Amino acid sequence: MYPQSPNPYTQTSMAANSWMEDQDLAYTVLADLKRVCREYTTAATESNCPAVRQMFVSLLNDSLQLQAELYHLMQQQGWYNTSSPAIRSELDKQVQQYRQSEQKTRQWAQQHRSQPQQPIPPIQTSAYTPLYPNGHYQ
């Protein structure tokens, strides 16, 4: 018979060996929460059904709340050092630019909702643009 080696992935072994430091585990979970937030944002913006969109927005908000709680815990423990504080005037300037952009986008969307749809003109091709046998670009 072959001697059995202990499974390093069992809960008993993990607790006894402390296989991952708390700080490393927190960083891993924080990174996963950031990724999940990006994925939920993408899913919400690409969903066609209002109920599905709302579900992803709700999941995003829950994930953002968890991310904020973990971030604050890590900061209290001294595990997450942020860069120097941002200059308030620079933040205000960025917020103003984003709000102006948002307003322009809303105005554009409102104008195009009220106008009848006009056909989009075809794309002008150059001699170097490859066409596939079906005549479409890919």
Side-chain angles (χ1 to χ4, degrees):
M1 295 288 254
Y2 296 103
Q4 284 189 326
S5 59
N7 184 348
Y9 299 106
T10 63
Q11 288 182 349
T12 307
S13 295
M14 284 192 286
N17 295 336
S18 184
W19 66 278
M20 187 178 236
E21 295 291 326
D22 288 343
Q23 183 177 358
D24 294 332
L25 183 59
Y27 269 106
T28 301
V29 172
L30 186 65
D32 283 344
L33 283 168
K34 290 177 182 180
R35 180 191 51 78
V36 164
C37 289
R38 285 191 304 272
E39 297 296 328
Y40 285 152
T41 300
T42 300
T45 59
E46 292 181 359
S47 62
N48 192 23
C49 174
V52 172
R53 180 183 176 91
Q54 184 55 46
M55 178 194 64
F56 282 121
V57 169
S58 178
L59 289 167
L60 171 62
N61 288 334
D62 291 345
S63 297
L64 286 170
Q65 182 63 38
L66 285 171
Q67 184 274 333
E69 290 173 15
L70 180 58
Y71 165 78
H72 289 297
L73 174 71
M74 291 174 68
Q75 192 177 34
Q76 289 171 351
Q77 296 293 325
W79 296 343
Y80 200 104
N81 296 322
T82 58
S83 58
S84 61
I87 299 171
R88 182 67 191 189
S89 62
E90 287 297 317
L91 288 175
D92 291 340
K93 182 179 172 183
Q94 286 294 319
V95 168
Q96 184 64 28
Q97 288 175 350
Y98 290 133
R99 286 188 177 150
Q100 288 172 353
S101 177
E102 178 186 19
Q103 183 179 12
K104 288 178 184 177
T105 303
R106 287 183 190 277
Q107 289 172 350
W108 179 87
Q110 186 64 34
Q111 288 173 352
H112 286 80
R113 267 191 240 137
S114 61
Q115 295 177 356
Q117 290 292 330
Q118 304 212 353
I120 299 172
I123 298 172
Q124 298 296 322
T125 62
S126 69
Y128 301 106
T129 305
L131 284 177
Y132 289 84
N134 63 3
H136 293 93
Y137 301 100
Q138 293 192 0

